[in-house]
Amino acid sequence: MTRSPSSPGFWRSPLRGPRLTSVLGVVLLGGITVLFVTGLVSYAAYNPNLSPVNDKTPDKGILGFYLFSWPTDPHWLYRLNQGVHVTLGVTLIPVLLAKLWSVIPRLFALPPARSLAHALERISLLLLVGGALFEFVTGVLNIQLDYIFPGSFYTLHFYGAWVFFAAFIVHVVLKTPMALRNLRHLREEKDDLVSPRPDPPTVSRRGALWFVGGGSLLLFATTVGQSFDGLLRRTALLAPHGGADPGSGPNGFQINKTARYAGIDAAETTEDAWHLVVTGRTGTVRLSRAQLARLPLHSAALPIACVEGWSTSDQWWLGVRLRDLAALVGYDDDPPDVLVESLQRRGAFRRAALRANQVADPRSLLALYVNGEDLSPDHGFPARIIVPAAPGVLNTKWVARMTFGDL
Ligand code: HEM
């Protein structure tokens, strides 16, 4: 007689039980909290409240309560935050799937609600499981450059994160006491997760946990390399951008969007054709690349850190300080915010805003050279922005216009 999934006898694995579920739960408790916090920090790094051009989730309302002016120190801050967010997200996938597998009998348990409290708990479980799958799936699709989700990744992933984390908090409050009790008690308590008619074991619980841990280790080992240069980067087999060969020489480091993808017309970037247009309090100045190169040049060692989680080590940039450009248009001591516009015709951030603290930082440059050589077209020739601790998308390439003034 076939049993339905709602009858306890249907689930035959001897592995299921409160102890396995509690171990996986405690790992996710720490991991998902870090994912949520690094995700919120990733959003804050856009300075979304500075200008609508930086904000892909303008209707966030009170969900933006925590936002603050993004700092420029330490210069590797965003590199670390996004590297942790994406690498941890990928690494946790086996743990999440194992946890969902371990509690699947509960999803089919009948009656669906024994009381109002039980009904609310089950609804929070649906939001929890749905939210988890939604966040992990949209996250993975995004870093695999597979933009097949219905709508903007930013909005979906941001709101999905809040729904998921709210359900997660409810779940943690309800379940942690029992989970800790389960971990303290060696003997498995009687529980609806324990199969009344288990099949003979093929692996022990410890073996199953090693298997899950091994899966996480494998995903970690084939993802984390995207945050390092050299041979380590080659190990990032799962990272479409992160593991690709950037070529050699001074411009031989990782890029996100090529000049070709961005629709840059080389004829617009020649010495005769291209001028930087700088506007501010005292009017507008137009500067050719040669004129820019005759201004006082400064260097800074700064990484490129992409929102997709990959990053480069520090590169040596040489160029004009943003605050010196601000001074050319009337902001001698108090550099204001700036709106930067690019020649690019494709891509999310053709315009980006930088806050006054970013403009004022002496390491914030309009770079003309990198590692002792002219920028290559893919790295933003004739000139690009480089600011410490900023997400890659705000370090605008192929800069055409800069408008200084409070945004
Ligand atoms: C495999 C799992 C995950 C991956 C690969 C992933 C990937 C990403 C990426 C690439 C971004 C940057 C988006 C951008 O600025 O372009 C991001 C942002 C974010 N992530 Fe995740 N994520 C994952 C899981 C999660 C989870 C589980 C949560 C919540 C608990 C979360 C919360 C956030 C938040 C709040 C943001 C900021 C969204 C924004 O900038 O608009 N992520 N994530």
Side-chain angles (χ1 to χ4, degrees):
M1 179 193 86
T2 54
R3 294 169 185 273
S4 84
S6 57
S7 79
F10 176 88
W11 306 99
R12 307 290 298 270
S13 167
L15 295 178
R16 284 197 183 88
R19 277 182 65 73
L20 178 75
T21 300
S22 304
V23 172
L24 298 167
V26 167
V27 173
L28 288 174
L29 174 58
I32 285 176
T33 308
V34 173
L35 273 179
F36 186 59
V37 171
T38 51
L40 293 184
V41 168
S42 167
Y43 180 57
Y46 283 77
N47 274 325
N49 284 347
L50 173 63
S51 160
V53 297
N54 284 15
D55 193 2
K56 302 297 178 194
T57 319
D59 308 327
K60 59 188 173 291
I62 55 158
L63 298 181
F65 70 91
Y66 71 97
L67 294 172
F68 51 92
S69 292
W70 186 253
T72 55
D73 263 315
H75 73 278
W76 39 261
L77 180 60
Y78 191 76
R79 182 180 182 199
L80 177 69
N81 184 76
Q82 215 53 14
V84 167
H85 187 77
V86 170
T87 305
L88 178 62
V90 171
T91 304
L92 280 177
I93 292 173
V95 183
L96 178 76
L97 295 177
K99 174 77 191 297
L100 292 179
W101 175 86
S102 78
V103 294
I104 214 163
R106 286 218 179 113
L107 243 55
F108 296 91
L110 293 176
R114 290 190 298 270
S115 66
L116 179 61
H118 186 233
L120 290 175
E121 192 209 334
R122 296 214 62 174
I123 293 166
S124 78
L125 270 184
L126 281 179
L127 291 175
L128 181 76
V129 174
L133 293 173
F134 184 81
E135 281 300 295
F136 279 78
V137 169
T138 51
V140 169
L141 288 174
N142 182 267
I143 61 171
Q144 291 298 325
L145 316 179
D146 236 340
Y147 308 123
I148 56 172
F149 24 77
S152 141
F153 166 79
Y154 302 99
T155 320
L156 292 172
H157 199 69
F158 181 81
Y159 290 127
W162 282 100
V163 171
F164 169 48
F165 205 67
F168 183 68
I169 294 288
V170 172
H171 186 65
V172 168
V173 169
L174 288 177
K175 297 293 178 185
T176 303
M178 191 204 307
L180 295 178
R181 209 174 46 248
N182 289 334
L183 293 179
R184 269 200 302 276
H185 292 162
L186 291 178
R187 198 176 50 69
E188 183 94 299
E189 276 186 16
K190 183 107 192 50
D191 185 281
D192 58 352
L193 290 176
V194 179
S195 172
R197 300 180 326 119
D199 284 338
T202 51
V203 61
S204 69
R205 269 204 193 100
R206 188 180 296 273
L209 285 171
W210 277 112
F211 179 71
V212 173
S216 286
L217 199 59
L218 183 65
L219 288 176
F220 176 80
T222 48
T223 303
V224 72
Q226 67 175 350
S227 297
F228 304 95
D229 279 348
L231 278 184
L232 256 182
R233 186 176 292 283
R234 298 292 172 81
T235 63
L237 307 173
L238 295 178
H241 268 141
D245 176 11
S248 58
N251 278 281
F253 58 95
Q254 221 54 39
I255 54 158
N256 193 345
K257 303 275 184 296
T258 62
R260 190 186 148 90
Y261 173 92
I264 301 298
D265 175 356
E268 293 175 300
T269 65
T270 60
E271 186 57 38
D272 302 336
W274 182 83
H275 285 77
L276 175 71
V277 179
V278 183
T279 303
R281 200 183 263 161
T282 53
T284 297
V285 294
R286 285 167 55 83
L287 297 154
S288 70
R289 197 168 186 273
Q291 288 170 315
L292 281 166
R294 284 195 292 275
L295 291 173
L297 298 182
H298 297 267
S299 65
L302 297 170
I304 295 283
C306 180
V307 291
E308 292 156 13
W310 64 264
S311 61
T312 73
S313 58
D314 292 353
Q315 310 295 324
W316 268 106
W317 307 91
L318 182 66
V320 184
R321 283 177 172 160
L322 298 188
R323 65 187 195 188
D324 295 348
L325 290 169
L328 292 178
V329 287
Y331 299 95
D332 299 307
D333 341 312
D334 56 340
D337 310 330
V338 66
L339 177 68
V340 182
E341 295 168 65
S342 170
L343 289 172
Q344 72 183 86
R345 289 176 180 76
R346 279 181 77 193
F349 281 83
R350 275 162 272 176
R351 299 190 303 159
L354 297 170
R355 204 184 284 276
N357 69 314
Q358 293 172 310
V359 174
D361 192 298
R363 296 162 298 173
S364 297
L365 304 173
L366 179 76
L368 305 173
Y369 311 96
V370 65
N371 301 326
E373 197 177 80
D374 277 330
L375 290 171
S376 67
D378 285 346
H379 278 300
F381 182 90
R384 66 151 322 143
I385 297 289
I386 188 76
V387 167
V393 283
L394 299 189
N395 289 316
T396 309
K397 296 197 281 189
W398 313 289
V399 175
R401 178 183 289 274
M402 298 173 73
T403 310
F404 287 95
D406 294 336
L407 291 173

